[in-house]
Amino acid sequence: MHPILFEIPTPWGALPIYSYGVMLGTSMIVAWYVIMWLGEREGFERETLANTFIITAVSAIVGARALYILTNPDEFESIQDLVNLRGGGLVAYGGFLGGFFGALFYLRSQKRSLLAFADVAAPTLALGLALTRIGCYLYGCDYGARLEDDAPSWLRSLGTFPHWADGNGSPAWAHHVAQYDLAHDAAHSFPVHPTQIYESLAGFVLLGVTLFMWRRRSFRGEVLLALTMFYGVWRFAIEYVRDDPERGFAFGFSTSQLVSLALVPIAAFFYQQGKKAQQQSPVSVMRLGAPETYATPSKPARESAPSEELEAVPAPEAKKSGAKKKKSAKR
């Protein structure tokens, strides 16, 4: 665990640089370049991409913080607490929804396609999950449930969080002291599932999937809808091995599980509708590197021209038969 990566000396004291903030900032920087790279191939102007990215990023952070505040209202006592993001306190689904609506309102005002930008942004959502969960692991939040005693030693080592010399401890250590009778002088928490690493690996897998799909999509919005379904199913499942109390619960499910239960069916419905519409009336979709046009079976745009050319050029057999007739006439 390295919740503070380093400190910058200032006249007012040391300024701590938190690992979560560094990984969040890194994800934003990399996402900028990915969106510029894919967005230009989608036909967006750089200015539009830049404005949409900034508005989406700010909306995502606001949404992620708002959902965390709603699920953990007791943690905040002042305005300063509400905006203090150095130690985390963001919910992935809140960021997803906040960014979506921020992009929606801006692009509508510019009369541009939300679905086209959604496919551009989808890989960056997966990338953000992969990088920010590393920050969660370094800080020690979003930890998992206790491991069994016969769990592999390497997994138990990854899932053990410390009690620091100053008397404070990692979130997992503090939770285990309060809830599971861990001795206050224990050097470490109980071994838990390192769910932060699980989710980071899932983010990298989803990044590969979204980039693969972006090259082969058949309708705009397909990549984002597929990501929503894949992540929704994954998030619903991973919640069963998480144990951090900040997630919030209702009706026997965590907040994120409830959001998954709502979003996955909606995304599946629109995905099916998109596939159906593409089959009935195919449209041109920009691929990575070059556009490709889908022609409807009822309008074979390229079939009539070649057939006319073949008809205009006599076949070799026709020439030979005509020559024989001329020879027989001479005889």
Side-chain angles (χ1 to χ4, degrees):
M1 271 187 69
H2 298 279
I4 299 176
L5 290 182
F6 55 90
E7 294 181 342
I8 299 176
T10 69
W12 307 276
L15 176 64
I17 303 300
Y18 287 84
S19 53
Y20 183 85
V22 170
M23 296 310 298
L24 177 63
T26 301
S27 70
M28 292 290 185
I29 294 172
V30 178
W32 168 275
Y33 287 103
V34 172
I35 282 181
M36 290 296 172
W37 172 49
L38 295 180
E40 289 184 335
R41 286 162 173 76
E42 189 69 44
F44 283 98
E45 300 83 3
R46 289 185 65 86
E47 182 180 358
T48 301
L49 288 172
N51 292 338
T52 308
F53 175 83
I54 293 172
I55 291 172
T56 303
V58 173
S59 301
I61 293 176
V62 171
R65 187 62 168 179
L67 187 55
Y68 184 85
I69 293 171
L70 287 174
T71 53
N72 301 277
D74 296 338
E75 293 186 14
F76 304 93
E77 299 178 356
S78 65
I79 299 297
Q80 184 178 358
D81 292 338
L82 296 177
V83 297
N84 183 10
L85 302 177
R86 294 179 300 174
L90 302 175
V91 179
Y93 262 137
F96 175 83
L97 295 173
F100 176 83
F101 286 111
L104 172 64
F105 292 136
Y106 175 73
L107 290 171
R108 279 196 172 182
S109 70
Q110 301 299 307
K111 297 181 179 179
R112 297 304 303 268
S113 170
L114 171 66
L115 294 180
F117 182 79
D119 282 344
V120 170
T124 68
L125 298 178
L127 180 64
L129 174 67
L131 295 180
T132 55
R133 287 308 187 195
I134 295 175
C136 291
Y137 182 74
L138 293 174
Y139 188 80
C141 58
D142 299 338
Y143 50 88
R146 291 176 59 178
L147 287 166
E148 301 292 338
D149 293 337
D150 58 352
S153 58
W154 61 269
L155 187 61
R156 294 172 63 86
S157 177
L158 285 174
T160 301
F161 295 93
H163 175 200
W164 299 312
D166 61 1
N168 296 316
S170 64
W173 177 89
H175 180 60
H176 292 173
V177 169
Q179 298 294 327
Y180 301 136
D181 297 325
L182 180 68
H184 195 276
D185 58 352
H188 301 279
S189 68
F190 291 119
V192 299
H193 283 280
T195 47
Q196 311 97 322
I197 296 178
Y198 298 167
E199 293 201 65
S200 180
L201 293 175
F204 283 116
V205 170
L206 289 174
L207 173 62
V209 170
T210 52
L211 289 175
F212 179 84
M213 290 189 65
W214 202 85
R215 298 172 64 98
R216 294 161 178 81
R217 62 205 162 117
S218 58
F219 65 93
R220 283 193 169 92
E222 180 177 5
V223 183
L224 181 67
L225 291 172
L227 175 66
T228 302
M229 291 186 290
F230 290 148
Y231 179 70
V233 172
W234 161 258
R235 185 59 188 267
F236 187 89
I238 195 67
E239 287 290 303
Y240 283 114
V241 293
R242 280 183 57 171
D243 193 38
D244 51 302
E246 295 86 1
R247 293 172 294 154
F249 288 88
F251 310 108
F253 297 102
S254 72
T255 303
S256 294
Q257 285 179 318
L258 291 173
V259 176
S260 293
L261 287 173
L263 287 185
V264 170
I266 294 174
F269 172 78
F270 283 107
Y271 188 91
Q272 188 272 338
Q273 292 297 309
K275 283 290 188 181
K276 183 178 179 180
Q278 178 65 13
Q279 292 172 356
Q280 294 176 350
S281 180
V283 296
S284 175
V285 177
M286 184 70 72
R287 301 295 184 85
L288 185 61
E292 183 168 328
T293 301
Y294 293 85
T296 60
S298 59
K299 297 180 180 180
R302 301 295 300 172
E303 290 182 3
S304 58
S307 62
E308 292 173 358
E309 293 175 2
L310 289 174
E311 291 175 1
V313 179
E317 293 77 11
K319 289 182 178 180
K320 291 180 181 179
S321 61
K324 289 181 180 179
K325 289 180 180 180
K326 290 181 180 179
K327 287 182 181 180
S328 59
K330 289 180 179 179
R331 290 179 184 175

